[in-house]
Amino acid sequence: MIAVSFDHRGVILRDAVFAAIAAEEHQALDLGVATDAVRVDYPDKALELGMAIRRGEADRGVLVCGSGVGASIAASKIPGIRAAICHDAYSAHQGVEHDDMNVLCLGSEIVGGELAQELVRTFLRARFIGGGRYADRLEKVAELERMADG
């Protein structure tokens, strides 16, 4: 299950993101929005998506705002969420393989529909390598989260 959410600017990529998820034979948990008629702030959508992942309702997520920057900043504040903005295929797979990224953030004003689909497909196909230095680094990230709580 892939949680998917957009703010009012990110909704431009809605059809492209859902098409890519369906093409990879994943199910999507649609957390909205479906229109740009009303302003919806990216921190609200980041929280909703991040909590869906934390509750186990989804394994990963795709979060889209205008630039992707705000979405990635907000989502990464949620413990256990490793979100990153990716506008190239290398980052979309390497972020999962090396860093166990679980939320792909996109900027609707930066990438078009075709590139968005490529990035979502690449993100969904990637798997965390695990072990060795990758696991050690992930533990350091978890320690940062614990330090921030204390």
Side-chain angles (χ1 to χ4, degrees):
M1 182 69 67
I2 308 301
V4 184
S5 193
F6 310 85
D7 73 359
H8 63 283
R9 288 178 60 207
V11 75
I12 295 167
L13 292 179
R14 182 179 172 82
D15 292 342
V17 169
F18 280 107
I21 292 170
E24 292 299 309
E25 300 182 354
H26 289 278
Q27 291 184 322
L29 174 62
D30 185 353
L31 300 173
V33 301
T35 177
D36 64 356
V38 176
R39 191 187 92 202
V40 177
D41 293 331
Y42 64 81
D44 299 329
K45 301 313 290 180
L47 178 60
E48 186 178 12
L49 183 138
M51 294 309 293
I53 293 171
R54 286 183 51 110
R55 287 190 301 265
E57 297 168 11
D59 301 309
R60 295 187 193 178
V62 177
L63 182 58
V64 187
C65 70
S67 69
V69 175
S72 64
I73 290 170
S76 291
K77 299 295 183 185
I78 302 165
I81 301 303
R82 293 170 302 282
I85 183 174
C86 297
H87 292 149
D88 63 90
Y90 178 79
S91 298
H93 73 79
Q94 189 270 344
V96 175
E97 294 166 355
H98 292 194
D99 306 308
D100 202 20
M101 177 176 70
N102 56 8
V103 176
L104 172 67
C105 298
L106 300 173
S108 65
E109 304 293 332
I110 311 299
V111 301
E114 286 186 39
L115 180 54
Q117 287 184 339
E118 177 187 349
L119 297 171
V120 170
R121 287 192 306 266
T122 300
F123 168 69
L124 295 177
R125 291 175 185 166
R127 298 290 175 259
F128 180 52
I129 292 171
R133 67 180 185 244
Y134 305 115
D136 293 344
R137 291 173 184 159
L138 197 56
E139 179 51 39
K140 288 181 179 185
V141 171
E143 179 61 25
L144 292 173
E145 288 180 347
R146 289 189 291 274
M147 289 172 40
D149 286 340

